[in-house]
Amino acid sequence: MRGGSLWQLGQSITRRLAQSDKKAVSRRYFASDADLKKTALYDFHVAHGGKMVPFAGWSMPIQYKDSIMDSTVNCRVNGSLFDVAHMCGLSLKGKDCVPFLETLVVADVAGLAPGTGSLTVFTNEKGGAIDDSVITKVTDEHIYLVVNAGCRDKDLAHIEEHMKAFKSKGGDVSWHIHDERSLLALQGPLAAPVLQHLTKEDLSKLYFGQFQILDINGSTCFLTRTGYTGEDGFEISVPSEHAVDLAKAILEKSEGKVRLTGLGARDSLRLEAGLCLYGNDMEQHISPVEAGLTWAIGKRRRAEGGFLGADVILKQLQDGPTIRRVGFFSSGPPARSHSEVHDESGNKIGEITSGGFSPNLKKNIAMGYVKSGQHKNGTKVKILVRGKPYEGNITKMPFVATKYYKPS
Amino acid sequence: MALRMWASSTANALKLSSSASKSHLLPAFSISRCFSSVLEGLKYANSHEWVKHEGSVATIGITDHAQGHLGEVVFVELPEEKSAVSKEKNFGAVESVKATSEILSPISGEVIEVNTKLTDSPGLINSSPYEDGWMIKVKPSNPAELESLMGPKEYTKFCEEEDAAH
């Protein structure tokens, strides 16, 4: 056997058999284990049977004793606890932190009610995506945001550069990077009932996208009702010295039903939920409009602009983008990143950016970009896997219905 | 190969599906110290395929060690009957939820039978890698190629060394 697809999420490589170099295939540079960063839960993962792999410079569990398939199904039936402490949490503070952030993201930050947040995109001058992020307006003078681990250095350098310029013109903004905290994600139907055991605050009043600073299991946590699976759930920022205790408490309160879940299942879950993975489905050259995230561009922002690349994005909103992100079902082997998408006559119309076998739907699912005009649901396509075309069709996302906790 | 990518010293202790495969063991087997089963009477390639040579037919599949590292198989791509396979050249692919792996033929010859059960039940490769999960039967064109393959003890040692390197 010879493997081409790597376990490195965000860099999954589809086997291109025709072009592969026999000798090159198995050789891949990995940072030595000593160079990899460890989260506060590293030993906890290993003790629980975690299979540790390098990811974005960290040693992270790709799975535990159960298979990725079982783990993914369990999240939607019971629940999952993920260590996402590799992601970077930061706070922007100051009188002008809202107008400052608005120069960098497409969200209507001023329009967010205190204690609410949203998914947004950091854009570059060409209207492409630097990263996606969940931002929360805690108060008018405090914004809390989380960015991807793989983009940490890039994002922080970008924010710092613009912050310096903003301050030199008299703006009042400062930042704090929460390296003293660890982020855990608790997702699934049991997330709220289990977490409720660990806090006195009434979680039934905390809806999707809302944020609260509260005591959980004896420590002050930042709690956001959000996630990356499509299920109801939370992301919990806990002081790192209490991270293991919190993880233990969550698992115990669920009586084993909520399982520690790794990055392998996390990727399957977010794909089923139709969510982008930066580095695969969103990149520097892809705009939020092309990625189907027009809803994340605030109404006022569409009229006013004021963020990097606004001219490009506003034009795409007017004329329509030339490519669009869509979902696919297909037969045969699962379509993977970089597989070509052809129309029924064999003309190339797009490319897959993420794909795999859905453990919950038990069929192949994928997402990718196709030329506008060819993007309607139901459009029949052919997807090339290892040089052979397989039947597929375009479908809407999410593939698995989301269960976000919203007021009725 | 895919196995080399699993950078973890805990991988050895974690044979996820090997307990499932033990339900189909032949009487004569040796269990490698890496806890996956290796059968007597078979020959092994260093790319983790096995060959069972009986008369003029050679049956080929992937080993317990391989399926354990791959995880749950969701799709198998196999060649047609009458097509040719060559030693160390790929003849198909195995897909798990997250990864794709090529399968290399340990010997050269003509494919005389393909296990069509794998289309509907790719998981047979996990539950029964040496029996129900067989992949192709080949008429060997050069039986001397079998000599250069590893025996069970050699293969067991090979697996241990490979896993220890990660």
Side-chain angles (χ1 to χ4, degrees), chain A residues 80-100:
Chain A
S80 289
L81 180 63
F82 303 90
D83 175 4
V84 287
H86 59 316
M87 297 183 72
C88 178
L90 61 146
S91 282
L92 289 172
K93 290 194 168 165
K95 235 177 356 72
D96 303 319
C97 67
V98 172
F100 167 67

Side-chain angles (χ1 to χ4, degrees), chain B residues 27-44:
Chain B
F29 65 86
S30 54
I31 296 191
S32 67
R33 253 178 274 143
C34 55
F35 302 108
S36 51
S37 66
V38 177
L39 302 194
E40 296 294 325
L42 303 183
K43 291 290 224 171
Y44 297 86

Side-chain angles (χ1 to χ4, degrees), chain A residues 301-305 307 309-318:
Chain A
R301 312 302 317 272
R302 290 181 221 182
E304 298 176 1
F307 48 86
D311 46 347
V312 175
I313 289 174
L314 264 42
K315 187 158 201 303
Q316 282 180 353
L317 287 172
Q318 218 176 359

Side-chain angles (χ1 to χ4, degrees), chain A residues 1 21 28 39 47 53 56 60 96 103 130 147 156 167 177 181 186 200 222 224 237 256 291 366 378 381 383 386 402:
Chain A
M1 286 177 51
D21 170 12
R28 202 188 178 286
T39 68
V53 299
M60 299 299 289
D96 303 319
T103 64
I130 290 178
V147 298
L156 294 183
K167 284 164 87 153
I177 297 153
R181 290 181 161 271
L186 175 60
K200 289 202 181 74
F222 300 169
T224 316
S237 171
V381 298
I383 304 179
R386 293 188 285 280
T402 57

